[in-house]
Amino acid sequence: MITHVTIVGRGRVGGAIHHRLNERGVAVTVVRRDGFDAWCNSIDPIGNIIIVATKDDVLRAVVDRIVEKRGNDLQNVLVLHVNGSLGTELLSPVHDVGALAAAAHPFQTFGNDDPSALDAIGWGVQCDDAAWHRTREFVELLGGIPWLMTDMSHERKRRYHAAAVAASNFTYAAYELARRLADDADIPADVFLIPIMQRTLKNASEALEKNLPFAITGPLMRGDVDGVRRQFESIPPEERDLYRNLSLALLQVVGGGLDSATRDEMELMLR
């Protein structure tokens, strides 16, 4: 049973985990950047799990420091990091002092430390059999769905993380273009854009659940080269590169449904 968790690094992810553990009645020790050295030199209880939720570039150094200073306290403690692109290899020092190790990544985008972002999300987990039970218990305690990833090469782990980036961050390029064009067309973005964005997400979610093609519409999908050209020419010059790049990306997705001549003409026009 998980009764006490130490969180090293309280950014958005660490903060959301902190709030959720508080809701679950679990004791939490939060170690912030300016208090890390003091904690390393203390005898404060660690608990069942240490969550390392620091930036990628200092993660290994933080782990090494914890092992160096608190190694005697890590026997049977689960040391877990929440990085999306790194595996358990950088946690290898904890095994030497009798700790368990896991990489458990919440497949979510965090705009703040709202714990509701943790509800019913998948967690990509890498760990050995010894760490799996406690890692699974921890993820489920937070309201997530643990998914044990096996045979994960470095390349596959990076692809896994790229999927999260594509599903979240890349969409903002399209949203930003839509916001700029709505402003230029003198329509309120909240009235016009939010409903179509919500419906698009609903359509996409249903397609994923049913393993169906996405319900993509518009002149590019129809192979209407003149329609796309007219749209492109109507856009302010400073927005055209973004429109062009997004359209070419979409063409890669839907191009297989167009005849080769139309696809080539569309690509030539956009380029």
Side-chain angles (χ1 to χ4, degrees):
M1 182 178 180
I2 299 171
T3 58
H4 183 187
V5 173
T6 294
I7 301 174
V8 179
R10 197 195 181 284
R12 296 173 183 176
V13 179
I17 293 173
H18 181 197
H19 287 312
R20 178 50 50 85
L21 291 173
N22 281 340
E23 292 174 355
R24 299 292 193 260
V26 176
V28 181
T29 297
V30 176
V31 181
R32 301 177 188 271
R33 181 186 305 175
D34 57 2
F36 179 63
D37 287 337
W39 175 81
C40 285
N41 292 312
S42 74
I43 57 172
D44 294 341
I46 287 177
N48 312 102
I49 302 176
I50 295 179
I51 309 301
V52 184
T54 61
K55 293 182 178 179
D56 302 359
D57 57 352
V58 300
L59 205 159
R60 179 55 188 261
V62 167
V63 170
D64 288 342
R65 183 72 168 167
I66 291 172
V67 171
E68 176 190 357
K69 293 295 185 178
R70 302 296 304 261
N72 292 335
D73 302 324
L74 295 181
Q75 184 70 35
N76 202 37
V77 171
L78 173 63
V79 181
L80 181 154
H81 78 70
V82 293
N83 178 275
S85 60
L86 302 173
T88 56
E89 64 280 351
L90 55 77
L91 296 175
S92 57
V94 307
H95 285 294
D96 297 335
V97 293
L100 306 173
H105 171 249
F107 203 84
Q108 180 61 287
T109 181
F110 292 84
N112 51 42
D113 61 359
D114 181 357
S116 67
L118 298 167
D119 293 338
I121 65 170
W123 285 65
V125 177
Q126 288 177 278
C127 65
D128 59 21
D129 292 343
W132 169 239
H133 174 76
R134 195 178 307 172
T135 305
R136 180 179 61 188
E137 180 186 6
F138 170 72
V139 171
E140 291 175 347
L141 177 67
L142 296 179
I145 303 167
W147 183 270
L148 184 61
M149 301 189 298
T150 58
D151 300 322
M152 289 294 288
S153 64
H154 295 308
E155 184 179 54
R156 289 188 70 189
K157 185 63 182 288
R158 293 188 187 101
R159 288 176 184 170
Y160 156 88
H161 193 235
V165 171
S168 56
N169 293 341
F170 286 174
T171 57
Y172 285 114
Y175 294 159
E176 181 59 26
L177 176 61
R179 178 161 61 179
R180 294 176 188 177
L181 294 177
D183 182 64
D184 189 70
D186 196 27
I187 57 173
D190 56 341
V191 174
F192 282 84
L193 297 187
I194 291 176
I196 196 172
M197 290 162 61
Q198 291 174 334
R199 175 57 61 174
T200 300
L201 177 58
K202 185 176 186 295
N203 292 344
S205 299
E206 291 177 355
L208 289 171
E209 290 169 355
K210 299 175 182 179
N211 196 28
L212 295 173
F214 292 122
I216 302 171
T217 62
L220 191 147
M221 179 66 178
R222 297 191 296 269
D224 183 356
V225 178
D226 286 338
V228 174
R229 180 185 291 109
R230 288 192 297 269
Q231 222 174 55
F232 179 78
E233 291 173 349
S234 74
I235 291 174
E238 64 271 18
E239 310 297 352
R240 289 179 182 175
D241 279 345
L242 184 52
Y243 180 93
R244 175 188 295 109
N245 292 331
L246 289 170
S247 295
L248 286 169
L250 185 61
L251 185 61
Q252 289 187 352
V253 175
V254 306
L258 304 176
D259 64 79
S260 59
T262 300
R263 186 172 61 249
D264 291 346
E265 185 181 2
M266 185 80 74
E267 183 172 358
L268 180 63
M269 184 274 296
L270 286 167
R271 291 191 184 283

